């Protein structure tokens, strides 16, 4: 029998490079999948419905909340974001390691509901570097950058509540660190109970 995959929560302050990090890892590790969230924000250039997010209206999102379709949801920068039960259940049952790339509010909800999930916070190397990365994106005004930096500080303060912290100074190193955490969770004796049972059942 296939063992259920493990759930990993990955959070970070915006501008830390979390999306790039997680996408790079899942692209080269076939057992790792990223859960596709629902959101009410507008798609950015190049984003596709059903691949990057399920883009829905506020009405649709609120109907899903009422129907208890979400395992967690939060309001981030004025838009709703949520992880549906459906998004993670089938992946986990198929044995995939599932990454929930979510904000700190969602992380707190998942930690409460699924205490066996592993939580990882990605830190920028410094506040100065984060400031520079947010500016280099060239998408936000001064006001928005100042607001995001303030929010980032609040999010970083919560990193101590996570199981692991990775500093994203150099992307390949950060990717190796993230993979090391995922592999070590999979190697825990408890996670290998099916393998142990199978070996012991041999005559
Ligand atoms: P973005 O709009 O830049 O894609 O995401 C904004 C923030 O929302 C990021 O911190 C991202 O991790 C978070 N986010 C994305 N999906 C979810 C989700 O399903 N639940 C929660 N709580 N946060 C999410």
């Amino acid at each position: 029998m296939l063992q259920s995959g493990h759930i990993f929560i990955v959070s970070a302050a915006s501008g830390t490079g979390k999306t790039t990090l997680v996408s790079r890892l899942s692209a080269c590790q076939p057992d790792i999948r990223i859960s596709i969230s629902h959101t009410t924000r507008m798609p950015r250039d190049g984003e596709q419905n059903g691949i990057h997010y399920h883009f829905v209206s506020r009405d649709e999102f609120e109907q899903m909340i009422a129907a208890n379709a979400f395992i967690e949801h939060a309001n981030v920068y004025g838009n709703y974001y949520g992880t549906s039960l459906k998004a993670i259940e089938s992946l986990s049952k198929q044995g995939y390691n599932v990454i929930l790339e979510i904000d700190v509010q969602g992380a707190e909800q998942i930690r409460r509901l699924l205490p066996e999930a592993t939580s990882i916070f990605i830190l920028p190397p410094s506040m100065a570097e984060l400031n520079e990365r947010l500016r280099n994106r060239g998408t936000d005004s001064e006001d928005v950058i100042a607001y995001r930096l303030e929010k980032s500080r609040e999010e970083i303060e919560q990193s101590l509540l996570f199981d692991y912290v990775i500093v994203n100074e150099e992307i390949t190193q950060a990717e190796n660190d993230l993979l090391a955490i995922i592999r070590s969770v999979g190697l825990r004796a408890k996670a290998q109970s099916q393998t142990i049972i199978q070996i012991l059942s041999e005559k």
Side-chain angles (χ1 to χ4, degrees):
M1 194 188 86
L2 197 60
Q3 281 182 209
S4 287
H6 196 80
I7 307 284
F8 296 88
I9 305 163
V10 178
S11 297
S14 78
T16 311
K18 167 185 55 154
T19 306
T20 312
L21 178 63
V22 165
S23 319
R24 274 175 56 138
L25 190 67
S26 73
C28 58
Q29 301 294 331
D31 62 307
I32 300 173
R33 292 284 180 96
I34 307 168
S35 147
I36 303 170
S37 297
H38 283 70
T39 183
T40 58
R41 87 149 159 74
M42 298 302 287
R44 297 189 186 119
D45 274 355
E47 281 184 336
Q48 284 172 274
N49 189 31
I51 294 181
H52 299 94
Y53 280 105
H54 298 290
F55 294 100
V56 293
S57 67
R58 276 190 104 78
D59 268 2
E60 284 172 289
F61 199 101
E62 281 165 2
Q63 277 167 27
M64 287 181 74
I65 297 175
N68 285 325
F70 292 114
I71 186 159
E72 65 76 31
H73 64 91
N75 191 313
V76 187
Y77 298 122
N79 286 303
Y80 281 132
Y81 292 83
T83 307
S84 70
L85 270 169
K86 219 169 120 190
I88 56 176
E89 234 171 30
S90 75
L91 287 176
S92 167
K93 276 191 189 139
Q94 289 173 73
Y96 289 110
N97 287 307
V98 185
I99 295 184
L100 310 185
E101 197 203 317
I102 59 180
D103 86 319
V104 290
Q105 306 168 73
E108 193 189 337
Q109 296 172 48
I110 297 282
R111 268 199 302 266
R112 240 183 300 120
L113 278 169
L114 303 175
E116 69 282 10
T118 301
S119 59
I120 304 153
F121 194 92
I122 316 290
L123 278 180
S126 65
M127 288 310 286
E129 175 75 26
L130 185 63
N131 190 341
E132 193 166 322
R133 286 184 194 174
L134 285 176
R135 275 168 207 286
N136 286 346
R137 292 211 294 207
T139 48
D140 301 321
S141 66
E142 280 298 316
D143 280 359
V144 171
I145 291 174
Y147 176 73
R148 282 190 181 249
L149 274 175
E150 189 46 44
K151 278 268 158 221
S152 298
R153 197 172 275 283
E154 288 169 25
E155 286 166 347
I156 290 169
E157 276 166 10
Q158 295 204 35
S159 59
L160 275 169
L161 301 172
F162 284 66
D163 297 318
Y164 295 91
V165 169
I166 295 173
V167 178
N168 187 11
E169 178 144 32
E170 199 280 309
I171 183 95
T172 309
Q173 181 59 49
E175 202 180 327
N176 287 339
D177 290 345
L178 183 55
L179 186 59
I181 294 167
I182 294 175
R183 292 291 167 249
S184 72
V185 168
L187 291 171
R188 287 185 314 191
K190 208 171 145 197
Q192 303 218 66
S193 54
Q194 295 296 336
T195 311
I196 298 167
I197 290 166
Q198 195 186 334
I199 288 174
L200 286 176
S201 71
E202 286 171 21
K203 287 273 152 25

